[in-house]
Amino acid sequence: MKLSVSARAAAAGGIATVMLLTGGAVADAASAPPRPAAAPDLPLASVKAHLTQLQSIATANGGNRAHGRAGYKASIDYLKAKLDAAGFTTTLQQFTASGRTGYNLIADWPGGDTGQVVMAGSHLDSVSSGPGINDNGSGSAAVLETALAVSRAQYKPTKHLRFAWWGAEELGLVGSRYYVNRLATGDRSRISAYLNFDMIGSPNPGYFVYDDDPAIEKTFKEYFSGLGVPTEIETEGDGRSDHAPFKSAGVPVGGLFTGASRAKTAAQAAKWGGTAGRAFDRCYHSSCDTTANINDTALDRNSDAVAYAVWELSE
Ligand code: TRP
Ligand code: CA
Ligand code: ZN
C-alpha cells in the first residue's frame, strides 16, 4: 500500500504536526487550496465553423477581408453579434489608416479584478490578395471560441478578462498600436498579460511559442508537453505582430505561431511530421489562404492552448 506523509509546522508554537494519509483517499479539507476550474477542450468543429463564415464573408466581398473593405466590417459584425449574445460588453474602436476607416473590436467579460487584466488578441484583417483564413482567421476564431467558452462555463476568474480583434495589422500593426497608444498610463500597468495569436493553423505546421514573458511562455509549454508535442521558440518574426506595441509599453506578452513563409527543416519534419523543405504556409498572403489552407490538428491543439492559457493565467 502507498502511504503519503504530509507534515507542516503548527501555526502556534512551531510544533510539527504529522498526518498519515492512506491510499490518497483522505484530504485535509480545512487547508486544501480551492481547485481552479479546468480549462475546456474547445470543439474543433466550432472553431472551423467560424473559419467557414469568414471564408463566406471574403467570397461575398471580392475575395478578401482587408482593412477598409466591406469584408473587414462584415467580419467585425459576425464576431460582435456572437459576443454580444454571449454576454460580453463589446466596444468598437474606430480609427483611420491610409484614408480608410478601420476598427478594433474589444470584448470585456464582466467581473474580475480590473486592476489585473488578462488580454487575448488576434488581428482580424486579411491582406487584400486573399481571404486570410490561416492569417489570421485562425487566431481570430480560436480567440472567439475561447471567449464563447468563458460564457458557456460562466467562468468567474479572479482577474478580469478582455478579448480583442485588431484592425489593419497588415498595414503595420496599426489597430493594436492605436489601442495601446490610447490607454492611460495607469491602464497599461493594469494589463498583467497580453496573449497574441497570429497564424495558428498553418498547413505544414510547426509549434512555436513566443520567447517572451517567462510565466506566459511556461504556461503554453506546459500545455504542449501535456500533449507530448515538442515546441520551439518563435524566431520567424519577432515584433511582426500585435504583441509588439504591448511589449513596447511594458506589458508582459506571449503567444503561439505555426509558421509562415519560412521552410520546415528536416529536423522539424522528423519531430512534427509534415514536409521538409516546404514553407509552413505556402499560401501566406496569397489568394489560396482559404479554408483548405488549414491543418486541423494544429488548429485544434493551438485553440485548446489558447483556452488553457486564458484559464490558467486569470484564476
Ligand atoms: N504578422 C505576420 C502577418 O500577419 C505574420 C508573421 C510573420 C508572424 N512572422 C510572425 C506572426 C511571427 C507572429 C509571429 O503577416
Ligand atoms: Ca479541441
Ligand atoms: Zn497575420
Side-chain angles (χ1 to χ4, degrees):
M1 189 212 271
K2 198 176 153 210
L3 290 178
S4 61
V5 179
S6 156
R8 62 176 135 48
I15 302 157
T17 320
V18 178
M19 290 186 305
L20 285 175
L21 304 177
T22 56
V26 182
D28 185 1
S31 65
R35 244 194 92 68
D41 176 351
L42 303 185
L44 174 64
S46 303
V47 180
K48 291 190 77 178
H50 302 314
L51 295 184
T52 300
Q53 292 302 312
L54 294 175
Q55 177 69 64
S56 299
I57 286 168
T59 302
N61 290 284
N64 71 72
R65 303 180 302 99
H67 167 70
R69 313 294 187 90
Y72 183 71
K73 185 54 163 54
S75 301
I76 286 277
D77 292 345
Y78 170 73
L79 269 74
K80 186 176 183 299
K82 297 262 179 209
L83 293 158
D84 286 337
F88 285 85
T89 303
T90 59
T91 308
L92 210 48
Q93 186 178 42
Q94 195 174 311
F95 59 88
T96 302
S98 302
R100 293 174 187 257
T101 300
Y103 306 91
N104 293 326
L105 174 62
I106 314 295
D108 282 274
W109 181 238
D113 178 4
T114 53
Q116 302 177 82
V117 180
V118 171
M119 285 190 77
S122 291
H123 76 87
L124 184 58
D125 63 313
S126 71
V127 290
S128 55
S129 51
I133 298 304
N134 186 36
D135 183 14
N136 185 30
S138 62
S140 295
V143 173
L144 173 60
E145 195 53 32
T146 298
L148 298 178
V150 164
S151 170
R152 285 193 295 267
Q154 288 293 302
Y155 185 36
K156 299 280 179 273
T158 306
K159 298 180 185 170
H160 179 78
L161 289 177
R162 181 176 299 153
F163 300 91
W165 291 267
W166 310 117
E169 187 270 355
E170 300 290 3
L171 276 61
L173 319 180
V174 175
S176 54
R177 187 169 288 132
Y178 185 85
Y179 176 83
V180 170
N181 283 345
R182 289 178 60 96
L183 281 172
T185 312
D187 287 337
R188 285 181 201 176
S189 61
R190 288 182 187 99
I191 303 175
S192 36
Y194 172 72
L195 313 177
N196 194 61
F197 305 98
D198 184 359
M199 304 180 72
I200 58 168
S202 304
N204 185 29
Y207 292 89
F208 299 103
V209 178
Y210 298 5
D211 176 22
D212 231 296
D213 178 72
I216 299 172
E217 183 181 358
K218 178 171 169 281
T219 304
F220 286 125
K221 285 179 167 174
E222 194 173 85
Y223 185 76
F224 283 101
S225 68
L227 296 181
V229 174
T231 60
E232 287 187 12
I233 291 168
E234 192 285 309
T235 59
E236 192 170 355
D238 196 28
R240 272 177 64 188
S241 192
D242 300 297
H243 55 295
F246 286 88
K247 183 176 175 163
S248 300
V251 174
V253 304
L256 300 173
F257 179 56
T258 53
S261 46
R262 192 177 281 180
K264 184 179 276 189
T265 66
Q268 290 169 330
K271 65 177 168 184
W272 289 325
T275 310
R278 176 185 291 181
F280 294 108
D281 182 356
R282 287 196 291 181
C283 291
Y284 176 62
H285 286 185
S286 303
S287 59
C288 58
D289 186 10
T290 65
T291 47
N293 190 44
I294 290 288
N295 179 285
D296 284 358
T297 303
L299 182 66
D300 191 18
R301 289 170 172 169
N302 282 285
S303 298
D304 292 339
V306 176
Y308 180 80
V310 164
W311 251 255
E312 287 290 316
L313 294 169
S314 65
E315 66 191 22

